[in-house]
Amino acid sequence: MSWIFLFLAGLFEIGWAIGLKYTDGFSKLVQTVLTVASMIVSLTLLGLALKALPVGTAYAVWTGIGTVGTALLGIWLLGEPATAIRLACIALIVGGIMGLKFAA
């Protein structure tokens, strides 16, 4: 169950990272409220996952999910560049997340 909590925490991290872009410097109320709610859910789920998982592994996986998801959504939603080197680096992060999961 801890891995599920951690995965969901990572998804909510993506939500608040992308949400920050849409808050327009916290000047848009609805987007700001949703972003802050996503932060709270993400940290709560991370805390639950840490009851059973090593902190180093959980934190690395949480930030890795957030990093990969945010980078991919940045490409898809925000028109950020999808260069070969950028996609290769994202693949390396995914490989690292998988390695930590299998090593835990």
Side-chain angles (χ1 to χ4, degrees):
M1 193 67 173
S2 294
W3 284 102
I4 293 169
F5 286 149
L6 185 59
F7 178 73
L8 292 173
L11 293 181
F12 277 96
E13 184 188 6
I14 297 165
W16 69 257
I18 292 293
L20 285 171
K21 182 72 170 176
Y22 290 100
T23 66
D24 197 27
F26 300 106
S27 65
K28 295 181 178 177
L29 181 62
V30 172
Q31 291 87 337
T32 298
V33 169
L34 291 173
T35 298
V36 171
S38 188
M39 289 175 177
I40 292 167
V41 171
S42 180
L43 289 172
T44 300
L45 289 168
L46 176 62
L48 292 171
L50 287 172
K51 286 183 171 183
L53 299 174
V55 68
T57 299
Y59 185 74
V61 170
W62 178 67
T63 58
I65 292 168
T67 301
V68 169
T70 302
L72 292 176
L73 281 179
I75 291 167
W76 183 51
L77 294 175
L78 305 172
E80 295 176 358
T83 62
I85 189 72
R86 191 166 191 211
L87 295 174
C89 290
I90 290 170
L92 288 171
I93 295 168
V94 171
I97 293 168
M98 291 171 57
L100 287 170
K101 163 69 172 106
F102 294 126

